[in-house]
mmCIF file of all heavy atoms in Angstrom:
data_model
loop_
_atom_site.group_PDB
_atom_site.id
_atom_site.type_symbol
_atom_site.label_atom_id
_atom_site.label_comp_id
_atom_site.label_asym_id
_atom_site.label_seq_id
_atom_site.Cartn_x
_atom_site.Cartn_y
_atom_site.Cartn_z
ATOM 1 N N ALA A 722 -8.769 10.185 -21.510
ATOM 2 C CA ALA A 722 -9.230 10.174 -22.845
ATOM 3 C C ALA A 722 -10.527 9.465 -22.958
ATOM 4 O O ALA A 722 -10.771 8.468 -22.286
ATOM 5 C CB ALA A 722 -8.159 9.463 -23.717
ATOM 6 N N ARG A 723 -11.427 9.945 -23.750
ATOM 7 C CA ARG A 723 -12.757 9.350 -23.863
ATOM 8 C C ARG A 723 -12.742 8.247 -24.892
ATOM 9 O O ARG A 723 -12.118 8.322 -25.903
ATOM 10 C CB ARG A 723 -13.781 10.357 -24.266
ATOM 11 C CG ARG A 723 -13.975 11.422 -23.139
ATOM 12 C CD ARG A 723 -15.025 12.454 -23.559
ATOM 13 N NE ARG A 723 -15.124 13.487 -22.493
ATOM 14 C CZ ARG A 723 -16.158 13.448 -21.575
ATOM 15 N NH1 ARG A 723 -17.058 12.567 -21.641
ATOM 16 N NH2 ARG A 723 -16.148 14.377 -20.629
ATOM 17 N N VAL A 724 -13.513 7.208 -24.565
ATOM 18 C CA VAL A 724 -13.716 6.087 -25.519
ATOM 19 C C VAL A 724 -15.226 5.892 -25.554
ATOM 20 O O VAL A 724 -15.744 5.036 -24.820
ATOM 21 C CB VAL A 724 -12.974 4.831 -25.073
ATOM 22 C CG1 VAL A 724 -13.092 3.816 -26.144
ATOM 23 C CG2 VAL A 724 -11.539 5.168 -24.750
ATOM 24 N N SER A 725 -15.948 6.674 -26.266
ATOM 25 C CA SER A 725 -17.379 6.676 -26.253
ATOM 26 C C SER A 725 -17.999 6.547 -27.626
ATOM 27 O O SER A 725 -17.451 7.029 -28.579
ATOM 28 C CB SER A 725 -17.837 8.039 -25.585
ATOM 29 O OG SER A 725 -19.197 8.132 -25.604
ATOM 30 N N PRO A 726 -19.161 5.879 -27.711
ATOM 31 C CA PRO A 726 -19.929 5.276 -26.661
ATOM 32 C C PRO A 726 -19.522 3.882 -26.296
ATOM 33 O O PRO A 726 -19.794 3.376 -25.208
ATOM 34 C CB PRO A 726 -21.351 5.238 -27.237
ATOM 35 C CG PRO A 726 -21.118 5.092 -28.718
ATOM 36 C CD PRO A 726 -19.864 5.835 -29.022
ATOM 37 N N THR A 727 -18.836 3.184 -27.221
ATOM 38 C CA THR A 727 -18.330 1.816 -26.943
ATOM 39 C C THR A 727 -16.920 1.714 -27.255
ATOM 40 O O THR A 727 -16.510 2.105 -28.394
ATOM 41 C CB THR A 727 -19.151 0.820 -27.780
ATOM 42 O OG1 THR A 727 -20.525 0.928 -27.526
ATOM 43 C CG2 THR A 727 -18.721 -0.634 -27.422
ATOM 44 N N PRO A 728 -16.067 1.230 -26.415
ATOM 45 C CA PRO A 728 -14.649 1.145 -26.683
ATOM 46 C C PRO A 728 -14.360 0.211 -27.748
ATOM 47 O O PRO A 728 -15.104 -0.735 -28.046
ATOM 48 C CB PRO A 728 -14.091 0.696 -25.313
ATOM 49 C CG PRO A 728 -15.174 0.022 -24.618
ATOM 50 C CD PRO A 728 -16.421 0.733 -25.070
ATOM 51 N N PRO A 729 -13.208 0.337 -28.453
ATOM 52 C CA PRO A 729 -12.889 -0.607 -29.555
ATOM 53 C C PRO A 729 -12.609 -1.995 -29.008
ATOM 54 O O PRO A 729 -12.341 -2.193 -27.828
ATOM 55 C CB PRO A 729 -11.583 -0.004 -30.127
ATOM 56 C CG PRO A 729 -11.006 0.779 -29.016
ATOM 57 C CD PRO A 729 -12.153 1.336 -28.267
ATOM 58 N N ALA A 730 -12.704 -2.978 -29.875
ATOM 59 C CA ALA A 730 -12.602 -4.353 -29.441
ATOM 60 C C ALA A 730 -11.184 -4.645 -28.935
ATOM 61 O O ALA A 730 -11.021 -5.392 -28.021
ATOM 62 C CB ALA A 730 -12.874 -5.273 -30.640
ATOM 63 N N GLN A 731 -10.174 -3.997 -29.477
ATOM 64 C CA GLN A 731 -8.808 -4.182 -29.022
ATOM 65 C C GLN A 731 -8.296 -2.847 -28.519
ATOM 66 O O GLN A 731 -8.184 -1.910 -29.315
ATOM 67 C CB GLN A 731 -7.910 -4.727 -30.149
ATOM 68 C CG GLN A 731 -8.313 -6.092 -30.585
ATOM 69 C CD GLN A 731 -8.113 -7.180 -29.536
ATOM 70 O OE1 GLN A 731 -7.245 -6.997 -28.688
ATOM 71 N NE2 GLN A 731 -8.877 -8.207 -29.563
ATOM 72 N N SER A 732 -7.963 -2.769 -27.279
ATOM 73 C CA SER A 732 -7.472 -1.488 -26.735
ATOM 74 C C SER A 732 -6.037 -1.663 -26.404
ATOM 75 O O SER A 732 -5.553 -2.662 -25.896
ATOM 76 C CB SER A 732 -8.336 -1.105 -25.484
ATOM 77 O OG SER A 732 -7.795 0.049 -24.909
ATOM 78 N N GLY A 733 -5.282 -0.514 -26.585
ATOM 79 C CA GLY A 733 -3.907 -0.548 -26.216
ATOM 80 C C GLY A 733 -3.643 -0.421 -24.720
ATOM 81 O O GLY A 733 -2.528 -0.397 -24.298
ATOM 82 N N GLY A 734 -4.709 -0.355 -23.939
ATOM 83 C CA GLY A 734 -4.532 -0.228 -22.476
ATOM 84 C C GLY A 734 -4.612 1.177 -21.992
ATOM 85 O O GLY A 734 -4.665 2.100 -22.761
ATOM 86 N N PRO A 735 -4.503 1.307 -20.714
ATOM 87 C CA PRO A 735 -4.623 2.658 -20.173
ATOM 88 C C PRO A 735 -3.573 3.631 -20.558
ATOM 89 O O PRO A 735 -3.742 4.812 -20.310
ATOM 90 C CB PRO A 735 -4.579 2.393 -18.589
ATOM 91 C CG PRO A 735 -4.922 0.934 -18.491
ATOM 92 C CD PRO A 735 -4.411 0.286 -19.741
ATOM 93 N N THR A 737 -2.453 4.190 -23.726
ATOM 94 C CA THR A 737 -2.471 4.527 -25.148
ATOM 95 C C THR A 737 -3.236 5.803 -25.379
ATOM 96 O O THR A 737 -4.029 6.257 -24.577
ATOM 97 C CB THR A 737 -3.108 3.385 -25.898
ATOM 98 O OG1 THR A 737 -4.453 3.254 -25.447
ATOM 99 C CG2 THR A 737 -2.368 2.105 -25.740
ATOM 100 N N PRO A 739 -5.311 8.246 -28.664
ATOM 101 C CA PRO A 739 -5.895 8.162 -30.036
ATOM 102 C C PRO A 739 -4.828 8.426 -31.099
ATOM 103 O O PRO A 739 -4.992 7.922 -32.209
ATOM 104 C CB PRO A 739 -6.964 9.231 -30.031
ATOM 105 C CG PRO A 739 -7.299 9.429 -28.583
ATOM 106 C CD PRO A 739 -5.986 9.216 -27.867
ATOM 107 N N GLU A 743 -1.323 1.529 -32.124
ATOM 108 C CA GLU A 743 -1.880 0.617 -31.123
ATOM 109 C C GLU A 743 -0.831 -0.314 -30.640
ATOM 110 O O GLU A 743 -0.903 -0.771 -29.497
ATOM 111 C CB GLU A 743 -3.017 -0.218 -31.818
ATOM 112 C CG GLU A 743 -4.257 0.629 -32.108
ATOM 113 C CD GLU A 743 -5.344 -0.268 -32.645
ATOM 114 O OE1 GLU A 743 -5.177 -1.457 -32.726
ATOM 115 O OE2 GLU A 743 -6.414 0.276 -32.967
ATOM 116 N N MET A 1400 -20.077 4.841 -12.227
ATOM 117 C CA MET A 1400 -20.200 3.384 -11.954
ATOM 118 C C MET A 1400 -18.846 2.718 -12.127
ATOM 119 O O MET A 1400 -18.057 3.053 -13.010
ATOM 120 C CB MET A 1400 -21.263 2.741 -12.787
ATOM 121 C CG MET A 1400 -21.081 2.936 -14.307
ATOM 122 S SD MET A 1400 -19.991 1.652 -15.075
ATOM 123 C CE MET A 1400 -20.885 0.175 -14.781
ATOM 124 N N ALA A 1424 -24.316 7.536 -17.807
ATOM 125 C CA ALA A 1424 -23.395 6.892 -16.867
ATOM 126 C C ALA A 1424 -21.996 7.050 -17.411
ATOM 127 O O ALA A 1424 -21.770 7.169 -18.608
ATOM 128 C CB ALA A 1424 -23.762 5.425 -16.631
ATOM 129 N N VAL A 1425 -21.036 7.060 -16.546
ATOM 130 C CA VAL A 1425 -19.618 7.201 -16.888
ATOM 131 C C VAL A 1425 -18.820 6.226 -16.101
ATOM 132 O O VAL A 1425 -19.075 5.961 -14.925
ATOM 133 C CB VAL A 1425 -19.147 8.653 -16.666
ATOM 134 C CG1 VAL A 1425 -19.204 9.013 -15.209
ATOM 135 C CG2 VAL A 1425 -17.736 8.847 -17.207
ATOM 136 N N HIS A 1426 -17.851 5.665 -16.749
ATOM 137 C CA HIS A 1426 -16.903 4.713 -16.097
ATOM 138 C C HIS A 1426 -15.513 5.109 -16.453
ATOM 139 O O HIS A 1426 -15.115 5.316 -17.600
ATOM 140 C CB HIS A 1426 -17.143 3.254 -16.618
ATOM 141 C CG HIS A 1426 -16.140 2.299 -16.138
ATOM 142 N ND1 HIS A 1426 -16.087 1.859 -14.855
ATOM 143 C CD2 HIS A 1426 -15.067 1.711 -16.788
ATOM 144 C CE1 HIS A 1426 -15.047 1.001 -14.707
ATOM 145 N NE2 HIS A 1426 -14.450 0.887 -15.862
ATOM 146 N N VAL A 1427 -14.695 5.262 -15.368
ATOM 147 C CA VAL A 1427 -13.265 5.569 -15.544
ATOM 148 C C VAL A 1427 -12.458 4.274 -15.606
ATOM 149 O O VAL A 1427 -12.463 3.477 -14.655
ATOM 150 C CB VAL A 1427 -12.732 6.452 -14.407
ATOM 151 C CG1 VAL A 1427 -11.289 6.761 -14.563
ATOM 152 C CG2 VAL A 1427 -13.544 7.696 -14.241
ATOM 153 N N ALA A 1428 -11.964 3.957 -16.782
ATOM 154 C CA ALA A 1428 -11.398 2.673 -17.071
ATOM 155 C C ALA A 1428 -9.995 2.506 -16.447
ATOM 156 O O ALA A 1428 -9.231 3.433 -16.461
ATOM 157 C CB ALA A 1428 -11.315 2.400 -18.591
ATOM 158 N N GLY A 1429 -9.819 1.334 -15.828
ATOM 159 C CA GLY A 1429 -8.510 0.976 -15.336
ATOM 160 C C GLY A 1429 -7.958 -0.186 -16.145
ATOM 161 O O GLY A 1429 -7.867 -0.164 -17.368
ATOM 162 N N SER A 1430 -7.654 -1.285 -15.474
ATOM 163 C CA SER A 1430 -7.083 -2.459 -16.140
ATOM 164 C C SER A 1430 -8.141 -3.492 -16.510
ATOM 165 O O SER A 1430 -7.833 -4.482 -17.141
ATOM 166 C CB SER A 1430 -6.056 -3.122 -15.230
ATOM 167 O OG SER A 1430 -6.677 -3.553 -14.025
ATOM 168 N N GLU A 1431 -9.414 -3.229 -16.160
ATOM 169 C CA GLU A 1431 -10.443 -4.194 -16.492
ATOM 170 C C GLU A 1431 -10.867 -4.143 -17.940
ATOM 171 O O GLU A 1431 -10.465 -3.266 -18.672
ATOM 172 C CB GLU A 1431 -11.696 -3.947 -15.609
ATOM 173 C CG GLU A 1431 -12.417 -2.622 -15.911
ATOM 174 C CD GLU A 1431 -11.779 -1.444 -15.257
ATOM 175 O OE1 GLU A 1431 -10.810 -1.602 -14.475
ATOM 176 O OE2 GLU A 1431 -12.254 -0.298 -15.556
ATOM 177 N N ASP A 1432 -11.612 -5.163 -18.371
ATOM 178 C CA ASP A 1432 -12.066 -5.204 -19.760
ATOM 179 C C ASP A 1432 -13.250 -4.274 -19.950
ATOM 180 O O ASP A 1432 -14.366 -4.562 -19.543
ATOM 181 C CB ASP A 1432 -12.490 -6.674 -20.097
ATOM 182 C CG ASP A 1432 -12.768 -6.843 -21.566
ATOM 183 O OD1 ASP A 1432 -12.871 -5.824 -22.294
ATOM 184 O OD2 ASP A 1432 -12.984 -8.009 -21.957
ATOM 185 N N ALA A 1433 -12.969 -3.127 -20.579
ATOM 186 C CA ALA A 1433 -14.029 -2.100 -20.721
ATOM 187 C C ALA A 1433 -15.076 -2.562 -21.692
ATOM 188 O O ALA A 1433 -16.243 -2.137 -21.581
ATOM 189 C CB ALA A 1433 -13.374 -0.803 -21.129
ATOM 190 N N VAL A 1434 -14.707 -3.337 -22.715
ATOM 191 C CA VAL A 1434 -15.700 -3.763 -23.679
ATOM 192 C C VAL A 1434 -16.759 -4.670 -23.022
ATOM 193 O O VAL A 1434 -17.936 -4.521 -23.219
ATOM 194 C CB VAL A 1434 -14.973 -4.515 -24.788
ATOM 195 C CG1 VAL A 1434 -15.999 -5.053 -25.827
ATOM 196 C CG2 VAL A 1434 -13.944 -3.647 -25.479
ATOM 197 N N ALA A 1435 -16.292 -5.650 -22.218
ATOM 198 C CA ALA A 1435 -17.208 -6.563 -21.581
ATOM 199 C C ALA A 1435 -18.069 -5.745 -20.570
ATOM 200 O O ALA A 1435 -19.284 -6.026 -20.404
ATOM 201 C CB ALA A 1435 -16.442 -7.636 -20.805
ATOM 202 N N LEU A 1436 -17.530 -4.739 -19.899
ATOM 203 C CA LEU A 1436 -18.257 -3.924 -18.981
ATOM 204 C C LEU A 1436 -19.362 -3.195 -19.650
ATOM 205 O O LEU A 1436 -20.532 -3.142 -19.193
ATOM 206 C CB LEU A 1436 -17.326 -2.983 -18.225
ATOM 207 C CG LEU A 1436 -17.957 -2.052 -17.216
ATOM 208 C CD1 LEU A 1436 -18.499 -2.792 -16.046
ATOM 209 C CD2 LEU A 1436 -16.967 -1.005 -16.764
ATOM 210 N N ALA A 1437 -19.031 -2.625 -20.813
ATOM 211 C CA ALA A 1437 -20.047 -1.854 -21.601
ATOM 212 C C ALA A 1437 -21.167 -2.757 -22.044
ATOM 213 O O ALA A 1437 -22.398 -2.344 -22.012
ATOM 214 C CB ALA A 1437 -19.410 -1.176 -22.835
ATOM 215 N N GLU A 1438 -20.843 -3.968 -22.473
ATOM 216 C CA GLU A 1438 -21.917 -4.909 -22.866
ATOM 217 C C GLU A 1438 -22.817 -5.293 -21.707
ATOM 218 O O GLU A 1438 -24.007 -5.384 -21.780
ATOM 219 C CB GLU A 1438 -21.301 -6.150 -23.499
ATOM 220 C CG GLU A 1438 -20.569 -5.834 -24.823
ATOM 221 C CD GLU A 1438 -19.882 -7.120 -25.386
ATOM 222 O OE1 GLU A 1438 -19.800 -8.058 -24.664
ATOM 223 O OE2 GLU A 1438 -19.407 -7.014 -26.520
ATOM 224 N N GLU A 1439 -22.198 -5.574 -20.523
ATOM 225 C CA GLU A 1439 -22.997 -5.926 -19.365
ATOM 226 C C GLU A 1439 -23.923 -4.744 -18.984
ATOM 227 O O GLU A 1439 -25.076 -5.004 -18.651
ATOM 228 C CB GLU A 1439 -22.086 -6.239 -18.161
ATOM 229 C CG GLU A 1439 -21.308 -7.563 -18.328
ATOM 230 C CD GLU A 1439 -20.382 -7.774 -17.151
ATOM 231 O OE1 GLU A 1439 -20.400 -6.908 -16.196
ATOM 232 O OE2 GLU A 1439 -19.693 -8.804 -17.114
ATOM 233 N N TRP A 1440 -23.398 -3.516 -19.013
ATOM 234 C CA TRP A 1440 -24.196 -2.375 -18.659
ATOM 235 C C TRP A 1440 -25.369 -2.146 -19.628
ATOM 236 O O TRP A 1440 -26.470 -1.827 -19.220
ATOM 237 C CB TRP A 1440 -23.298 -1.123 -18.565
ATOM 238 C CG TRP A 1440 -24.040 0.064 -18.139
ATOM 239 C CD1 TRP A 1440 -24.537 1.076 -18.892
ATOM 240 C CD2 TRP A 1440 -24.393 0.449 -16.748
ATOM 241 N NE1 TRP A 1440 -25.124 2.032 -18.153
ATOM 242 C CE2 TRP A 1440 -25.109 1.705 -16.796
ATOM 243 C CE3 TRP A 1440 -24.145 -0.186 -15.561
ATOM 244 C CZ2 TRP A 1440 -25.496 2.310 -15.702
ATOM 245 C CZ3 TRP A 1440 -24.637 0.467 -14.402
ATOM 246 C CH2 TRP A 1440 -25.279 1.677 -14.482
ATOM 247 N N ARG A 1441 -25.085 -2.325 -20.875
ATOM 248 C CA ARG A 1441 -26.121 -2.121 -21.902
ATOM 249 C C ARG A 1441 -27.262 -3.161 -21.701
ATOM 250 O O ARG A 1441 -28.417 -2.775 -21.934
ATOM 251 C CB ARG A 1441 -25.536 -2.306 -23.304
ATOM 252 C CG ARG A 1441 -26.560 -2.034 -24.420
ATOM 253 C CD ARG A 1441 -25.879 -2.097 -25.826
ATOM 254 N NE ARG A 1441 -25.357 -3.398 -26.088
ATOM 255 C CZ ARG A 1441 -24.096 -3.684 -26.226
ATOM 256 N NH1 ARG A 1441 -23.185 -2.751 -26.140
ATOM 257 N NH2 ARG A 1441 -23.663 -4.898 -26.471
ATOM 258 N N VAL A 1446 -29.441 3.128 -19.579
ATOM 259 C CA VAL A 1446 -28.740 4.419 -19.483
ATOM 260 C C VAL A 1446 -27.478 4.380 -20.308
ATOM 261 O O VAL A 1446 -26.726 3.392 -20.238
ATOM 262 C CB VAL A 1446 -28.394 4.690 -17.959
ATOM 263 C CG1 VAL A 1446 -27.617 5.992 -17.867
ATOM 264 C CG2 VAL A 1446 -29.674 4.772 -17.149
ATOM 265 N N HIS A 1447 -27.255 5.392 -21.085
ATOM 266 C CA HIS A 1447 -26.051 5.457 -21.961
ATOM 267 C C HIS A 1447 -24.818 5.456 -21.084
ATOM 268 O O HIS A 1447 -24.715 6.211 -20.104
ATOM 269 C CB HIS A 1447 -26.114 6.709 -22.833
ATOM 270 C CG HIS A 1447 -24.822 7.014 -23.546
ATOM 271 N ND1 HIS A 1447 -24.349 6.288 -24.574
ATOM 272 C CD2 HIS A 1447 -23.891 7.948 -23.303
ATOM 273 C CE1 HIS A 1447 -23.225 6.781 -24.982
ATOM 274 N NE2 HIS A 1447 -22.902 7.778 -24.205
ATOM 275 N N LEU A 1448 -23.815 4.653 -21.472
ATOM 276 C CA LEU A 1448 -22.527 4.576 -20.717
ATOM 277 C C LEU A 1448 -21.415 5.127 -21.590
ATOM 278 O O LEU A 1448 -21.271 4.810 -22.725
ATOM 279 C CB LEU A 1448 -22.260 3.145 -20.375
ATOM 280 C CG LEU A 1448 -20.916 2.864 -19.712
ATOM 281 C CD1 LEU A 1448 -20.821 3.563 -18.336
ATOM 282 C CD2 LEU A 1448 -20.623 1.370 -19.566
ATOM 283 N N GLU A 1449 -20.597 5.987 -20.962
ATOM 284 C CA GLU A 1449 -19.435 6.522 -21.579
ATOM 285 C C GLU A 1449 -18.208 6.066 -20.787
ATOM 286 O O GLU A 1449 -18.117 6.101 -19.602
ATOM 287 C CB GLU A 1449 -19.480 8.062 -21.570
ATOM 288 C CG GLU A 1449 -18.294 8.684 -22.282
ATOM 289 C CD GLU A 1449 -18.413 10.216 -22.357
ATOM 290 O OE1 GLU A 1449 -19.014 10.768 -21.402
ATOM 291 O OE2 GLU A 1449 -17.865 10.823 -23.248
ATOM 292 N N ILE A 1450 -17.231 5.529 -21.539
ATOM 293 C CA ILE A 1450 -15.979 5.009 -20.971
ATOM 294 C C ILE A 1450 -14.916 6.057 -21.086
ATOM 295 O O ILE A 1450 -14.741 6.600 -22.185
ATOM 296 C CB ILE A 1450 -15.541 3.724 -21.645
ATOM 297 C CG1 ILE A 1450 -16.623 2.711 -21.695
ATOM 298 C CG2 ILE A 1450 -14.284 3.154 -21.023
ATOM 299 C CD1 ILE A 1450 -16.967 2.128 -20.324
ATOM 300 N N ILE A 1451 -14.274 6.393 -20.001
ATOM 301 C CA ILE A 1451 -13.174 7.318 -19.991
ATOM 302 C C ILE A 1451 -11.881 6.616 -19.591
ATOM 303 O O ILE A 1451 -11.829 6.062 -18.505
ATOM 304 C CB ILE A 1451 -13.415 8.523 -19.087
ATOM 305 C CG1 ILE A 1451 -14.692 9.279 -19.485
ATOM 306 C CG2 ILE A 1451 -12.250 9.497 -19.060
ATOM 307 C CD1 ILE A 1451 -15.001 10.504 -18.582
ATOM 308 N N GLU A 1452 -10.884 6.642 -20.440
ATOM 309 C CA GLU A 1452 -9.588 6.065 -20.058
ATOM 310 C C GLU A 1452 -8.828 7.094 -19.215
ATOM 311 O O GLU A 1452 -8.794 8.297 -19.542
ATOM 312 C CB GLU A 1452 -8.785 5.705 -21.312
ATOM 313 C CG GLU A 1452 -9.114 4.332 -21.820
ATOM 314 C CD GLU A 1452 -8.149 3.877 -22.874
ATOM 315 O OE1 GLU A 1452 -7.283 4.767 -23.267
ATOM 316 O OE2 GLU A 1452 -8.160 2.704 -23.285
ATOM 317 N N SER A 1453 -8.197 6.605 -18.155
ATOM 318 C CA SER A 1453 -7.400 7.454 -17.286
ATOM 319 C C SER A 1453 -6.047 6.835 -17.132
ATOM 320 O O SER A 1453 -5.826 6.057 -16.234
ATOM 321 C CB SER A 1453 -8.111 7.623 -15.931
ATOM 322 O OG SER A 1453 -7.323 8.463 -15.062
#
Side-chain angles (χ1 to χ4, degrees):
R723 293 179 183 260
V724 187
S725 174
T727 302
Q731 296 294 331
S732 173
T737 61
E743 293 185 1
M1400 55 85 65
V1425 63
H1426 172 74
V1427 180
S1430 59
E1431 66 280 354
D1432 187 351
V1434 177
L1436 179 67
E1438 293 176 352
E1439 290 179 2
W1440 183 261
R1441 184 176 61 246
V1446 177
H1447 168 74
L1448 174 65
E1449 184 177 27
I1450 306 291
I1451 299 179
E1452 276 192 349
S1453 180

